[in-house]
Amino acid sequence: MSAVSINADRLLSRIHALGEVGRDGDGRLTRLAGSDADKAGRDQLVRWLREADLEIAVDRIGNIFGVWREAGNAEKAPVLIGSHIDTVIDAGIYDGCYGVLSGLEAIQTLREAGAALGRPIAIAAFTNEEGVRYAPDMMGSLVYAGGLSLDEALATVGTDGSILGEELRRIGYAGADGPGFSKPHAYVELHVEQGPVLEREGVPIGAVENLQGISWQRITIEGVANHAGTTPMSMRRDAGYAAARVIGFLHDRATASNTPTVATVGCIAFEPNAINVIPARATFTVDLRDPDAERLKAEEAALAAYLQDLATAENMTISTERLARFEPVTFDARIVGIIEEAARGRGLASKRMTSGAGHDAQMIARIAPAAMIFVPSVGGISHNPREYTADTDLVAGANVLLDVIQRLAAEGKIR
Amino acid sequence: MSAVSINADRLLSRIHALGEVGRDGDGRLTRLAGSDADKAGRDQLVRWLREADLEIAVDRIGNIFGVWREAGNAEKAPVLIGSHIDTVIDAGIYDGCYGVLSGLEAIQTLREAGAALGRPIAIAAFTNEEGVRYAPDMMGSLVYAGGLSLDEALATVGTDGSILGEELRRIGYAGADGPGFSKPHAYVELHVEQGPVLEREGVPIGAVENLQGISWQRITIEGVANHAGTTPMSMRRDAGYAAARVIGFLHDRATASNTPTVATVGCIAFEPNAINVIPARATFTVDLRDPDAERLKAEEAALAAYLQDLATAENMTISTERLARFEPVTFDARIVGIIEEAARGRGLASKRMTSGAGHDAQMIARIAPAAMIFVPSVGGISHNPREYTADTDLVAGANVLLDVIQRLAAEGKIR
């Protein structure tokens, strides 16, 4: 295997240049899917793909591909690298873009080095990963993997009343192909961790072996509103107190479990929400995540049992509404092993880990062996302008990606 | 003492008639202080005071008095009965009005029965007890008792930008006297309990011996916002969880105390309040009440100590802001005894109890021996159109009031 390394300056300057595309008057970076800012970002990406002399394709859901294939390997299934360049509102510059631009950089480096590979390599920028303007998130990769029909996706109405298909046409990214026109041999996604683990442990490379399943629920507890002064404690049916009990239960159980289970209550509201009235109703959300499907189910069941006991003990009505449910994803063990080897080959420590966030890789894993590489996020901060990864870590991650795809693309030859 | 009883039909029909004054198009009863609806209610009361041939006075803060004095007792300090006829928004018909109209009924009954009393008896309807449009509440009685300057009260700007003094002039209830022109010999207030105790215990008469002190605080807990999926439980600083711990602490401590202490968290907000973000900030209110001044202080201190420990244990910043603080009020034991005797004399069970809500009586208690009589509130419901007290209980309470004031007004003669 070649000892070639990526062009660090080129990668970093592209990350920063793309990070300037789509800033508003206040300097906030926002490139929502299908927007003018998204178009500007896509146009910039396409210019770089052309510079690298890649074959460019846009599919009907707007996913952009840059493909390097040679006469000798053109019929083989490609190694696909992917991520996204759409952003949340007031975003950082790394989420998604780092993976796309590193993929481009890796391909360009291999090509410039005159590497001869057994398979084509392609870089994909998937449409609407963030899902801020159009739901669901990870839409482009989901459609690509056949998990959502193209027509349904294109008809999606945005938070601003726009229709995704019309917006893609308007900005010039409603392509003619596929999607899914090219079933990959393997898929690799490089991403900032968006969590604190790698930084905290001083490990530069995460070999992501699975991705948490997600269970989102909204819980409503109905008690009885009463005067905060005239109602003795023993005569209360305080929905706010019951909600506090549930929050404590979830947090303490997950903390004590010694498993990767995480539980979060992020939203809450009391009614009538008056200082001197005992809450009649408490509504709150529960975000439960676990990389193990059985354990996620067990956690949901434990919550349900707790709610049932609480409703009886406190004489309240408790109802739950499912908001979202995704099964955990297990990535391809062989690719995870290749990532670990590649890190070792670069003298970098690595750590098998779980992705706590959703990524396009979980969709592509439905149709191809897939895995992810993480690099540290300072403070675990993401979806925020303070999102930051040190240049050394960015470059290290891109070099590991380079080695991994070179290895995967060689497979066509050696088999 | 005479066996005379109040005219039940007259009292009940007046309560229902006043309850129709100030209903909006949707049938909601609202007579905010100084409003046109308040004027209509006041006008109706004044017509009834005239019918009863009482001497009418309005002081400068708009408190209305109906006084029965005779040549033989005119120089003596009167026995004062009081409450209010302003309401909250979408009110029931009993809160305040029951006390004022029962006072009128008791006086009218005694007068019609030809009773000769040692002291004048007066009924007062105090301005702006509810405090919905103008803060603070219990304003008319507070000014009467010298706890707030007349000028300051009249300059109060309402939630709608109006000025109380101008509104009182506009509706014709800016009087010329006092306030406080007449220092009472004793003060008695009859009121619906607005809590569940009497109904739950099947006791028709509450002899109110004290009134809870109130401590209102706003607590802000600052943690760190982080991704709900990527942040392990051990690395979280979850402000929402910390808030839940405080809510549990307050509720469980008050419940276990076997004292009249009550603790309520009625308002809460998380920031950023997103389903997949660990709360960076939780803000909530604490309403602590206790009829014992030392115990209320001890409860506040226990909360402060808990917050300090929690801030250390969870590595968070916790700040508290005092929103209101009223010392408990102890009513006049002699009058409480007279209330119990009067109930016994009518064959009614009574119970010494604490008022959990604020009342004009707590203000007048600063300048005169005072106590309150409670009657049951069905379901403890008040400040709500479903507020209800059975007619039997209304009549019983008014007869106890009659006997109490007759006894108090006789004191001038027997001393």
Side-chain angles (χ1 to χ4, degrees):
Chain A
M1 203 165 291
S2 72
V4 65
S5 289
I6 61 125
N7 181 334
D9 289 344
R10 183 169 59 192
L11 171 62
L12 297 173
S13 73
R14 280 177 180 162
I15 291 172
H16 287 279
L18 185 55
E20 290 310 306
V21 176
R23 292 202 178 261
D24 67 14
D26 296 329
R28 304 193 324 162
L29 174 62
T30 306
R31 292 196 305 267
L32 302 186
S35 66
D36 291 342
D38 187 23
K39 172 183 168 49
R42 288 164 174 268
D43 288 352
Q44 177 59 72
L45 174 64
V46 166
R47 279 194 296 276
W48 286 327
L49 295 178
R50 276 194 220 292
E51 272 175 34
D53 207 22
L54 303 187
E55 187 183 319
I56 291 165
V58 178
D59 69 14
R60 293 174 61 199
I61 192 62
N63 298 324
I64 299 171
F65 301 87
V67 186
W68 173 33
R69 57 182 143 197
E70 304 281 351
N73 67 21
E75 298 313 308
K76 296 276 174 61
V79 172
L80 184 61
I81 313 164
S83 202
H84 62 96
I85 64 166
D86 69 315
T87 74
V88 297
I89 294 164
D90 200 14
I93 68 174
Y94 303 101
D95 179 358
C97 302
Y98 168 56
V100 171
L101 296 176
S102 295
L104 164 59
E105 180 56 42
I107 297 174
Q108 197 165 1
T109 297
L110 286 172
R111 191 162 192 180
E112 289 167 355
L117 301 179
R119 297 184 169 277
I121 309 181
I123 173 69
F126 292 109
T127 294
N128 188 35
E129 193 272 347
E130 295 293 0
V132 173
R133 192 179 182 201
Y134 303 100
D137 52 1
M138 298 172 276
M139 188 189 277
S141 50
L142 180 61
V143 171
Y144 184 90
L148 176 66
S149 85
L150 177 66
D151 289 345
E152 197 177 332
L154 292 176
T156 307
V157 178
T159 52
D160 54 0
S162 63
I163 294 165
L164 177 58
E166 291 177 6
E167 286 290 272
L168 287 174
R169 253 201 315 281
R170 184 182 68 81
I171 66 170
Y173 283 90
D177 297 317
F181 69 99
S182 163
K183 193 169 170 322
H185 169 68
Y187 177 86
V188 184
E189 182 164 356
L190 172 63
H191 207 283
V192 292
E193 181 194 340
Q194 305 181 282
V197 175
L198 290 175
E199 186 202 20
R200 196 71 66 97
E201 302 193 3
V203 174
I205 297 293
V208 184
E209 60 183 347
N210 52 21
L211 189 141
Q212 290 171 331
I214 297 181
S215 164
W216 280 2
Q217 296 178 65
R218 183 184 292 119
I219 297 179
T220 303
I221 301 182
E222 308 268 359
V224 175
N226 257 317
H227 192 292
T230 61
T231 315
M233 298 306 293
S234 61
M235 294 186 186
R236 294 176 175 220
R237 290 164 65 194
D238 182 336
Y241 167 68
R245 290 273 305 274
V246 179
I247 295 170
F249 167 79
L250 285 166
H251 185 280
D252 293 346
R253 179 180 165 90
T255 302
S257 71
N258 261 323
T259 67
T261 307
V262 286
T264 308
V265 173
C267 295
I268 197 164
F270 286 175
E271 288 174 42
N273 206 43
I275 189 168
N276 60 346
V277 181
I278 297 162
R281 178 181 293 164
T283 308
F284 56 99
T285 57
V286 174
D287 176 317
L288 268 175
R289 304 195 193 198
D290 203 296
D292 183 86
E294 287 311 310
R295 205 164 47 218
L296 184 60
K297 245 188 275 181
E299 291 303 310
E300 291 177 316
L303 173 59
Y306 184 82
L307 293 177
Q308 193 156 17
D309 290 351
L310 185 67
T312 305
E314 299 284 330
N315 190 20
M316 294 188 194
T317 306
I318 304 184
S319 60
T320 63
E321 179 191 353
R322 180 168 295 302
L323 300 178
R325 183 73 162 70
F326 298 104
E327 284 294 335
V329 173
T330 301
F331 287 127
D332 185 77
R334 195 176 58 89
I335 302 180
V336 175
I338 293 172
I339 294 167
E340 289 178 311
E341 271 172 46
R344 216 162 22 242
R346 293 270 172 183
L348 299 166
S350 73
K351 176 187 166 66
R352 291 206 170 212
M353 63 189 299
T354 293
S355 173
H359 292 290
D360 292 309
Q362 78 194 73
M363 300 308 174
I364 308 302
R366 299 179 178 200
I367 57 165
M372 295 187 73
I373 306 165
F374 277 177
V375 295
S377 291
V378 172
I381 296 166
S382 187
H383 286 188
N384 188 299
R386 294 185 297 122
E387 180 184 78
Y388 180 69
T389 298
D391 289 351
T392 332
D393 290 333
L394 295 171
V395 171
N399 276 321
V400 170
L401 175 68
L402 170 78
D403 295 349
V404 169
I405 59 164
Q406 189 171 16
R407 165 81 182 272
L408 289 169
E411 290 180 346
K413 217 160 47 183
I414 58 174
R415 255 182 202 156
Chain B
M1 200 166 292
S2 72
V4 63
S5 290
I6 60 126
N7 180 333
D9 288 345
R10 183 166 59 189
L11 171 62
L12 296 173
S13 74
R14 281 177 180 162
I15 291 172
H16 287 279
L18 185 54
E20 290 309 307
V21 177
R23 294 205 176 258
D24 67 15
D26 297 329
R28 304 193 323 162
L29 174 62
T30 306
R31 290 194 308 266
L32 303 185
S35 67
D36 290 343
D38 187 23
K39 173 183 167 50
R42 287 164 175 268
D43 288 352
Q44 176 60 72
L45 174 64
V46 167
R47 280 195 295 276
W48 286 326
L49 295 177
R50 278 195 219 291
E51 271 177 34
D53 205 21
L54 302 188
E55 187 183 318
I56 291 165
V58 177
D59 69 13
R60 293 174 61 198
I61 192 63
N63 300 322
I64 299 171
F65 301 87
V67 187
W68 172 35
R69 57 182 144 200
E70 302 281 352
N73 66 20
E75 299 312 309
K76 296 275 174 63
V79 172
L80 185 61
I81 313 163
S83 201
H84 62 96
I85 64 166
D86 69 315
T87 75
V88 296
I89 295 166
D90 201 14
I93 68 174
Y94 303 101
D95 179 358
C97 302
Y98 168 55
V100 170
L101 296 176
S102 294
L104 164 60
E105 179 57 41
I107 297 174
Q108 196 165 1
T109 297
L110 285 172
R111 192 163 190 177
E112 288 168 355
L117 301 179
R119 298 184 168 276
I121 308 181
I123 172 69
F126 292 110
T127 294
N128 188 35
E129 194 272 346
E130 295 292 0
V132 173
R133 192 179 182 201
Y134 303 100
D137 51 2
M138 297 171 276
M139 188 188 277
S141 50
L142 180 61
V143 171
Y144 184 89
L148 175 66
S149 86
L150 177 66
D151 288 345
E152 198 178 331
L154 291 175
T156 305
V157 178
T159 53
D160 54 358
S162 63
I163 294 166
L164 176 57
E166 290 178 6
E167 287 291 273
L168 286 174
R169 255 201 315 281
R170 186 182 68 80
I171 66 169
Y173 284 89
D177 295 318
F181 70 100
S182 162
K183 194 170 169 322
H185 169 67
Y187 176 85
V188 184
E189 182 164 355
L190 172 63
H191 207 283
V192 292
E193 180 193 342
Q194 305 183 282
V197 175
L198 290 176
E199 186 201 20
R200 195 72 64 97
E201 301 192 4
V203 174
I205 297 292
V208 184
E209 58 184 346
N210 52 21
L211 189 140
Q212 291 173 331
I214 298 181
S215 164
W216 279 3
Q217 297 178 66
R218 182 184 293 120
I219 297 180
T220 304
I221 302 183
E222 308 266 359
V224 175
N226 257 316
H227 192 292
T230 61
T231 315
M233 297 307 291
S234 61
M235 295 186 185
R236 295 177 175 220
R237 289 163 66 194
D238 183 336
Y241 167 67
R245 290 272 303 274
V246 179
I247 295 170
F249 167 78
L250 285 166
H251 185 280
D252 293 346
R253 180 180 164 89
T255 302
S257 70
N258 261 324
T259 66
T261 307
V262 286
T264 308
V265 172
C267 294
I268 196 164
F270 287 175
E271 288 174 41
N273 207 42
I275 188 169
N276 61 346
V277 181
I278 297 162
R281 179 181 292 163
T283 308
F284 56 98
T285 56
V286 174
D287 176 318
L288 270 174
R289 306 197 191 196
D290 202 294
D292 182 86
E294 288 310 309
R295 206 164 46 218
L296 183 60
K297 246 188 275 180
E299 291 303 311
E300 291 177 316
L303 172 59
Y306 185 82
L307 293 177
Q308 194 157 16
D309 291 350
L310 185 67
T312 305
E314 300 284 330
N315 190 20
M316 293 186 195
T317 307
I318 304 184
S319 59
T320 62
E321 181 191 352
R322 179 168 297 302
L323 300 176
R325 183 73 164 70
F326 298 105
E327 286 293 335
V329 174
T330 301
F331 287 127
D332 185 77
R334 195 177 57 90
I335 302 181
V336 175
I338 293 172
I339 292 167
E340 288 178 313
E341 272 172 45
R344 216 164 20 244
R346 292 271 172 184
L348 299 165
S350 72
K351 176 188 166 66
R352 291 207 169 210
M353 63 189 300
T354 293
S355 172
H359 292 290
D360 292 309
Q362 76 193 75
M363 300 306 173
I364 307 302
R366 298 178 178 201
I367 56 165
M372 296 188 71
I373 306 165
F374 276 177
V375 295
S377 291
V378 172
I381 296 166
S382 186
H383 286 188
N384 187 302
R386 293 186 298 123
E387 180 184 78
Y388 180 69
T389 298
D391 288 352
T392 331
D393 290 332
L394 295 171
V395 171
N399 276 322
V400 170
L401 175 69
L402 170 77
D403 294 348
V404 169
I405 59 166
Q406 189 169 16
R407 166 80 182 272
L408 290 169
E411 290 180 344
K413 216 162 41 183
I414 59 176
R415 256 183 202 158

